[in-house]
Amino acid sequence: PAVGLVLPGRHVQTLVLFSLHPPDVYSFQEEGPVSDPHLAKHLAHFGIDMLHTNGVLRSLSGSLSPPSPFTTKLGHGLLSGQYSKPPVKSELIEQVMKEEHKSHPEFSSNRQQDAQEFFLHLVNLVERNRIGSENPSDVFRFLVEERIQCCQTRKVRYTERVDYLMQLPVAMEAATNKDELIAYELMRREAEVNRRPLPELVRAKIPFSACLQAFAEPDNVDDFWSSALQAKSAGVKTSRFASFPEYLVVQIKKFTFGLDWVPRKFDVSIDMPDLLDISHLRARGLQPGEEELPDISPPIVIPDDSKDRLMNQLIDPSDIDESSVMQLAEMGFPLEACRKAVYFTGNTGAEVAFNWIIVHMEEPDFAEPLTVPGYGGAGASVFGATGLDNQPPEEIVAIITSMGFQRNQAVQALRATNHNLERALDWIFSHPEFEEDSDFVIEMENNANANIMSEAKPEGPRVKDGSGMYELFAFISHMGTSTMSGHYVCHIKKEGRWVIYNDHKVCASERPPKDLGYMYFYRRIPS
């Protein structure tokens, strides 16, 4: 039977169908599914356009197959008849429509958009607008363990972050047809000089195993600050899966920048497997014989004019510039870390937020969600009840220490200003002679430890961990030569057959170009 979803917004205002052509619908009179070759026309009568759908949404439809609670709700939407009335904007739909256009200006424009960016944008919308305990994005969420090692002292630091897709580099150096590529490039240049037709395209053939190996290899950490040396040093980082998601989204990093900083695309062929085993990429944690780096943050130099800047940067979390967030996320940084970077730099742009990320990326809570219940003139009450003995809430202390000030200094300033964040910042700048008082420090730490011990440990990100065996069921392809132009199509495997979705054209695909995809969707194989 057909199942569908009506989604708001200019780019995704459509009905996503999960059926083959001709589509099936449920007949209450005949108590069973029947074929309706004119379903599009019949749905159009109710204002539903099923012929224009985004490739990402089509691919996601294949991932949320029954008995997913999300898909069950979609089925109810069609079969109950509850939504077969003239469109009425509910409060939720209005909210999502506003969020889609306000939070990401790029997707409300007519410019070329990126499927990976849209996927993260959609996940972000779902995260912010979900109702109840069920969260459809849980099936894509996984934890990444990052191991950073100081090359000089050999000490290590392990951290975890949340991610929603696996980004694979294109290992061009592993191409198996290098002689063909050299010959093609010579013929192409000669044809351009002589103004003759270009030769038939020859794509680099890259083994998938080489891309997977490149993902697993250590990366150099630029501007690494070693807490063991208290100075900058050489560092390397490796990434492993601390959990495996129920549905694994793999992005091939085909888009890059040339030496002239002009966006370009790697038009390559990669033998993507139907069955994928990444069990060997499971994280192992701290190993015997490894010594951890000291938990010390790098010093932050505060400029003279920082007071006004810090005051102005305290923005409402709901007003975070999502376009800057997505620019940072596209670089491979965790989504939650990108949101914190944009928040703590006051929506001053992706470049400034990038600098914040470089300074804070080694902190243990780097990729944890942004939690700022309130701030500013409303005082401490918006942060929750204050502790006994005038102990300020940890949320406000964390904001001030994230700006580079000492914890003791932050607590004393908040105590002196009745836990008002803005007044506490003003107090800090007006007391440059601040010195730690030993009695005060002991009292402060005792109270802080007591409060921390009395609080329950916060629940971590929800993940659906399991085996690392997957099967391919959908992929999205980009047709075009650069990021500035082109067209997206998607293929979905339905009942053992591949189907291509190209705008309103839906048909069987006899030879799906699995080697030319941009984003791949894998479903976990039950162990």
Side-chain angles (χ1 to χ4, degrees), residues 298-317:
I300 299 178
V301 179
I302 306 295
D304 294 337
D305 60 348
S306 57
K307 178 180 176 180
D308 292 337
R309 179 174 58 82
L310 292 176
M311 289 293 191
N312 293 332
Q313 76 180 17
L314 299 177
I315 60 173
D316 189 326

Side-chain angles (χ1 to χ4, degrees), residues 127-380:
E127 291 279 359
R128 298 209 311 265
N129 295 284
R130 66 187 178 92
I131 298 178
S133 60
E134 291 296 334
N135 187 347
S137 63
D138 285 350
V139 298
F140 302 109
R141 187 185 302 110
F142 59 92
L143 295 176
V144 177
E145 177 193 87
E146 291 189 340
R147 175 185 183 272
I148 298 180
Q149 183 174 39
C150 173
C151 295
Q152 188 168 341
T153 65
R154 313 304 296 175
K155 295 183 179 181
V156 298
R157 173 178 292 120
Y158 285 86
T159 58
E160 286 188 354
R161 62 177 174 83
V162 174
D163 215 331
Y164 295 90
L165 54 83
M166 178 185 189
Q167 294 183 308
L168 282 185
V170 177
M172 289 295 295
E173 68 282 356
T176 59
N177 59 337
K178 293 180 180 178
D179 292 340
E180 293 181 61
L181 293 173
I182 294 174
Y184 165 75
E185 185 62 22
L186 292 175
M187 289 188 294
R188 187 189 65 81
R189 291 180 180 179
E190 183 180 355
E192 288 181 348
V193 171
N194 297 319
R195 296 184 179 180
R196 294 201 305 263
L198 297 177
E200 184 178 354
L201 176 65
V202 176
R203 293 186 176 92
K205 296 179 180 179
I206 312 294
F208 172 77
S209 58
C211 298
L212 197 60
Q213 181 179 351
F215 171 85
E217 289 179 349
D219 285 331
N220 292 327
V221 180
D222 296 329
D223 249 3
F224 173 69
W225 188 85
S226 171
S227 59
L229 300 173
Q230 295 284 298
K232 290 186 177 181
S233 174
V236 292
K237 179 179 70 174
T238 54
S239 299
R240 294 292 185 269
F241 285 84
S243 68
F244 291 125
E246 185 175 351
Y247 291 90
L248 178 66
V249 182
V250 179
Q251 177 204 9
I252 306 298
K253 300 175 69 173
K254 289 189 172 183
F255 299 118
T256 184
F257 290 93
L259 297 177
D260 53 359
W261 290 99
V262 175
R264 55 172 299 208
K265 174 186 175 182
F266 289 128
D267 196 353
V268 297
S269 171
I270 301 177
D271 58 336
M272 297 295 294
D274 289 306
L275 299 178
L276 174 61
D277 184 4
I278 57 173
S279 302
H280 64 287
L281 295 177
R282 169 77 73 171
R284 298 183 300 167
L286 187 68
Q287 295 298 296
E290 291 184 332
E291 186 177 355
E292 291 189 273
L293 285 163
D295 188 13
I296 302 174
S297 299
I300 299 178
V301 179
I302 306 295
D304 294 337
D305 60 348
S306 57
K307 178 180 176 180
D308 292 337
R309 179 174 58 82
L310 292 176
M311 289 293 191
N312 293 332
Q313 76 180 17
L314 299 177
I315 60 173
D316 189 326
S318 63
D319 292 333
I320 291 178
D321 181 9
E322 293 296 336
S323 62
S324 296
V325 173
M326 289 307 161
Q327 288 182 53
L328 297 170
E330 188 180 4
M331 299 178 188
F333 297 113
L335 185 62
E336 292 297 340
C338 298
R339 288 180 56 80
K340 290 202 297 187
V342 174
Y343 172 79
F344 285 119
T345 54
N347 278 349
T348 52
E351 183 177 353
V352 178
F354 175 80
N355 294 333
W356 186 95
I357 286 178
I358 296 301
V359 172
H360 295 82
M361 66 189 307
E362 295 181 33
E363 297 177 359
D365 61 345
F366 173 67
E368 292 182 4
L370 172 65
T371 305
V372 185
Y375 67 93

